[in-house]
Amino acid sequence: MSETLANLLQETRQFPPPADLAAAANVTAAAYDEAAADRLAFWARQAGRLDWSKEWHQILDWSNPPFAKWFVGGQLNVAYNCLDRHVLAGNGDRVAIEWEGEPGDNRTITYADLLAMTSQAANALTDLGVVAGDRVAIYLPMIPEAAVAMLACARIGATHSVVFGGFSADSLSNRIEDASAKVVITADGGYRRGKPSALKPTVDEAVSRCPSIEHVLVVRRTGQEVDWTDKDLWWHETVETASAEHTAEAFDAEHPLFILYTSGTTAKPKGILHTSGGYLTQVAYTHHAVFDLKPETDVYWCSADIGWVTGHSYIVYGPLANGATQLMYEGTPDTPHRGRFWELIQKHKVSILYTAPTLIRTMMKWGADIPEQYDLSSLRLLGSVGEPINPEAWMWYRENIGRGECPVVDTWWQTETGAMMISPLPGVTAAKPGSAMRPLPGISADVVDDQAESVPNGGGGFLVLREPWPSMLRTIWGDDERFVDTYWSRFEGLYFAGDGAKKDDDGDLWLLGRVDDVMLVSGHNISTTEVESALVSHPSVAEAAVVGATDPTTGQAIVAFTIPRGHVDTSGEAGEALIAELREHVSKTLGPIAKPRQIMLVAELPKTRSGKIMRRLLRDVAENRSLGDVTTLQDSSVMELISAGMNSGK
Ligand code: ATP
Ligand code: MG
């Protein structure tokens, strides 16, 4: 960047924690001081929340940066920590997973049940010849077996690679090949949008190209017809007939736990490698601290898919390590109706909800009258992850879902960081709508300029991490060089996350989107996030995506793609008038420099399968280029509609 980011958005609203939550909070302000006094000792104390079969002799080995080793010499079993120890402590009858299928079927699974299911799967995988260090691909819908499969791998020391169930045969086979997986665990299908959606044919196609695969384990979920090959085995004939007794063996703290490919929002997905002890320490601690989890009374729900890192860290490993009771939901938010999420919260008395800005903005588009029809009084805390949350979306979430009372925690982290890094603490922080606020205790994040100098309060630049953290990625699978190049070469000795951020006058952090998305308009760096947030602050707008398109006079010009809220008339002249009004609104909110050259009203935006806006495709449209790689796109027809609208000058 030639200049640091212009600091445009002024947000002054602030919401201190509710007094009762603060008084009983798991973590108080003292945690920041403790971690500041001795960061490594702080993390060693958090590691003590887990059961280790052998104590480590060194907290952190950073002698060969950027290759970190945490809790060196320590040994533990990750699945034992998520299951056995709760059962041994007398909590076997506690519900681990309340599962809701999309068609309305449900299952209640206690910790004792989950341990038995995982033990069976561990025995079955062992019988199939899977040994510690082997890779297992998991391609499943959101059914309890997805968690069981992951935990079974962890239990026997196999490294899982979960591939999101919406990905194509190409994406699946690339990931299987990259990791040389030996087994795939899949299902006949899952339910999506009211009907069975097949998975097995995709696996068949992928496996036909992947000689490393020896067996395919198939869960029967939908009962639909499947082709059968000699590698295929039914889960119910293999796993469910295996012994439910299994003794977990301890593995090294640095034993590989999983590979997960990043969402692919910006580039070719990278196989991010996470290991055991440090990862589990940080996911368990952050889940305890940021969600203030009270395992005896809370009902927790993270609506992410298990195919994303959020599902790994905050459906499987963090909550289960903490003995949480959680809801798991198979389907889409609008099946069979647009109130499904709120109906589930009412039914299960969910107290903590963790979801994504894309979902919140969709709910805004559908209208607040939908959640109003449900009793959401069980909720006490709301979380957000995945993209910057626009201040208006944050307010909408707090007001309409959180009754204007629940704290909202905006959590910044990445597949690479493994666990949350920047977030309010719900019992401590007076949160500002749209800000992730401060690095969590034990984390040292900063914003630097292009000379790697820390920017003063009020400044903007690159988000970096100064010190290694327990759940950090250890490398990119099979490509140490790409690991060093991608994350550690931009600034000497610093991890560069790829995101832009600013510090406000109080030193609180605001995420401004990816630096690749930053626009350079008449010599000023302007963040897409801020212009999008300005658009979303207009009462007629639910969602917006902004890109910089080459412009002969200004270098780049701002082009905005905007989804109106449900009730708004966008036909003919009303649409033209709204566009003019929105351009003025941005200019008034952020200053004339940020006024979009062009605004298009659209029905949908191109998103990755994890729900993130893919600005690079919109940039292709805005600059009349043919589209780049669309394989990680959720719905490719969206791009055709948008391109058609652009060319007709709408
Ligand atoms: P790829 O790296 O392949 O382009 P990706 O970055 O979308 O894909 P993830 O690891 O799932 O893959 O997402 C992490 C990114 O999501 C962060 O770098 C950041 O850009 C964004 N993000 C996540 N949480 C937040 C948040 N609370 N506020 C702002 N941005 C966030
Ligand atoms: Mg990324």
Side-chain angles (χ1 to χ4, degrees):
M1 269 190 259
S2 55
E3 195 189 308
T4 48
L5 283 165
N7 200 340
L8 297 173
L9 192 74
Q10 296 299 323
E11 173 59 65
T12 51
R13 292 169 287 193
Q14 198 157 3
F15 299 90
D20 52 341
L21 195 153
N26 286 352
V27 174
T28 66
Y32 292 111
D33 303 331
E34 279 172 40
D38 188 338
R39 192 174 59 87
L40 294 183
F42 170 82
W43 282 120
R45 274 197 301 283
Q46 305 319 322
R49 306 167 51 77
L50 306 177
D51 273 15
W52 295 76
S53 39
K54 189 166 160 229
E55 184 80 21
W56 58 87
H57 56 75
Q58 188 182 8
I59 301 169
L60 169 68
D61 175 358
W62 192 233
S63 57
N64 179 28
F67 299 92
K69 292 193 179 111
W70 281 86
F71 307 115
V72 183
Q75 289 190 346
L76 80 172
N77 185 287
V78 169
Y80 176 94
N81 272 281
C82 293
L83 302 170
D84 307 57
R85 64 173 179 145
H86 305 312
V87 175
L88 291 170
N91 292 321
D93 292 338
R94 182 185 297 165
V95 174
I97 299 176
E98 278 288 359
W99 177 79
E100 288 276 347
E102 201 192 66
D105 49 338
N106 47 34
R107 288 160 74 181
T108 301
I109 297 169
T110 63
Y111 274 91
D113 297 334
L114 197 60
L115 172 58
M117 293 161 78
T118 301
S119 297
Q120 287 185 311
N123 284 321
L125 287 172
T126 304
D127 288 346
L128 292 178
V130 178
V131 297
D134 283 346
R135 273 81 56 206
V136 173
I138 298 176
Y139 185 75
L140 281 169
M142 283 292 288
I143 54 177
E145 284 75 10
V148 171
M150 291 163 73
L151 291 164
C153 289
R155 196 168 184 90
I156 62 173
T159 305
H160 59 70
S161 164
V162 181
V163 180
F164 173 59
F167 275 135
S168 65
D170 267 348
S171 310
L172 177 60
S173 64
N174 290 340
R175 287 163 173 75
I176 290 175
E177 262 172 18
D178 189 64
S180 314
K182 210 166 163 181
V183 169
V184 190
I185 304 178
T186 187
D188 48 0
Y191 287 93
R192 283 209 80 73
R193 301 196 191 286
K195 48 181 194 297
S197 155
L199 288 176
K200 181 73 169 42
T202 312
V203 176
D204 291 343
E205 192 186 331
V207 168
S208 72
R209 290 182 231 149
C210 296
S212 67
I213 294 294
E214 293 170 15
H215 302 285
V216 180
L217 257 178
V218 189
V219 178
R220 191 158 64 194
R221 162 67 184 133
T222 58
Q224 62 203 116
E225 281 281 310
V226 289
D227 287 343
W228 210 245
T229 75
D230 54 5
K231 292 185 177 175
D232 297 341
L233 296 159
W234 282 114
W235 177 277
H236 58 268
E237 291 173 2
T238 314
V239 175
E240 288 173 10
T241 54
S243 160
E245 302 292 322
H246 183 273
T247 307
E249 178 193 340
F251 295 100
D252 197 88
E254 284 298 334
H255 188 76
L257 179 63
F258 65 85
I259 302 166
L260 181 64
Y261 293 80
T262 55
S263 313
T265 309
T266 47
K268 177 171 172 280
K270 301 169 277 281
I272 303 302
L273 178 70
H274 283 289
T275 59
S276 303
Y279 172 80
L280 197 63
T281 295
Q282 195 174 329
V283 295
Y285 173 68
T286 51
H287 184 260
H288 160 86
V290 173
F291 293 129
D292 189 43
L293 180 90
K294 309 284 196 266
E296 298 81 12
T297 48
D298 274 317
V299 179
Y300 164 80
W301 182 24
C302 167
S303 74
D305 191 279
I306 237 156
W308 311 123
V309 73
T310 306
H312 283 57
S313 301
Y314 297 105
I315 295 179
V316 180
Y317 294 112
L320 296 177
N322 289 337
T325 294
Q326 66 178 317
L327 173 65
M328 180 176 178
Y329 173 54
E330 178 185 34
T332 41
D334 52 354
T335 308
H337 56 79
R338 290 179 165 180
R340 185 72 191 265
F341 265 41
W342 319 123
E343 187 180 70
L344 287 171
I345 289 173
Q346 172 180 288
K347 176 174 173 192
H348 292 286
K349 301 198 165 40
V350 171
S351 55
I352 304 168
L353 173 65
Y354 193 28
T355 191
T358 181
L359 197 114
I360 297 163
R361 293 185 302 245
T362 301
M363 301 294 185
M364 283 169 73
K365 180 171 76 178
W366 292 345
D369 51 317
I370 299 175
E372 244 165 48
Q373 296 158 27
Y374 299 90
D375 177 6
L376 304 180
S377 60
S378 55
L379 285 171
R380 68 179 192 94
L381 208 149
L382 303 173
S384 170
V385 63
E387 285 182 293
I389 179 165
N390 320 99
E392 278 324 306
W394 193 104
M395 288 301 298
W396 190 94
Y397 194 28
R398 182 180 159 97
E399 293 299 324
N400 295 285
I401 308 305
R403 309 179 301 282
E405 291 166 11
C406 300
V408 176
V409 289
D410 172 18
T411 62
W412 178 88
W413 58 294
Q414 315 177 291
T415 309
E416 294 87 340
T417 67
M420 296 168 184
M421 302 293 282
I422 307 175
S423 169
L425 284 174
V428 180
T429 315
K432 301 170 183 171
S435 171
M437 304 299 291
R438 298 269 162 136
L440 286 167
I443 300 300
S444 46
D446 198 3
V447 182
V448 299
D449 63 19
D450 42 13
Q451 301 304 307
E453 293 292 333
S454 184
V455 306
N457 288 353
F462 305 91
L463 182 69
V464 296
L465 301 168
R466 290 196 174 279
E467 301 288 348
W469 61 101
S471 65
M472 67 195 280
L473 76 166
R474 298 308 196 253
T475 188
I476 292 176
W477 180 257
D479 202 344
D480 287 349
E481 204 179 306
R482 190 174 178 206
F483 167 62
V484 176
D485 285 354
T486 309
Y487 304 107
W488 301 94
S489 60
R490 179 81 185 244
F491 304 108
E492 177 83 41
L494 301 178
Y495 171 90
F496 173 45
D499 288 343
K502 71 179 184 191
K503 291 180 189 168
D504 67 17
D505 293 339
D506 304 322
D508 294 321
L509 299 177
W510 296 74
L511 275 300
L512 296 176
R514 296 153 201 285
V515 293
D516 309 350
D517 289 336
V518 169
M519 304 173 291
L520 187 62
V521 182
S522 304
H524 296 267
N525 277 307
I526 296 180
S527 111
T528 49
T529 302
E530 288 189 304
V531 181
E532 288 161 7
S533 290
L535 284 162
V536 174
S537 74
H538 188 281
S540 298
V541 175
E543 180 148 32
V546 162
V547 298
T550 314
D551 185 275
T553 44
T554 55
Q556 277 190 317
I558 300 177
V559 178
F561 300 80
T562 304
I563 303 184
R565 292 211 197 189
H567 61 273
V568 177
D569 177 11
T570 58
S571 56
E573 273 175 32
E576 294 306 320
L578 176 60
I579 288 173
E581 192 180 319
L582 291 177
R583 293 183 68 223
E584 268 325 299
H585 175 76
V586 175
S587 174
K588 252 196 265 139
T589 316
L590 298 179
I593 184 88
K595 185 172 181 169
R597 177 184 77 188
Q598 192 179 3
I599 294 183
M600 287 181 57
L601 303 178
V602 296
E604 280 303 336
L605 291 169
K607 291 189 179 159
T608 59
R609 287 158 205 267
S610 55
K612 299 180 195 218
I613 299 170
M614 274 174 102
R615 290 178 193 75
R616 87 180 147 74
L617 296 180
L618 293 173
R619 220 157 28 228
D620 291 344
V621 173
E623 296 183 340
N624 281 316
R625 258 195 315 276
S626 59
L627 293 183
D629 182 10
V630 292
T631 49
T632 56
L633 201 61
Q634 194 171 39
D635 174 2
S636 51
S637 64
V638 169
M639 284 318 295
E640 285 154 30
L641 282 176
I642 293 174
S643 309
M646 188 85 183
N647 293 332
S648 71
K650 258 195 174 158

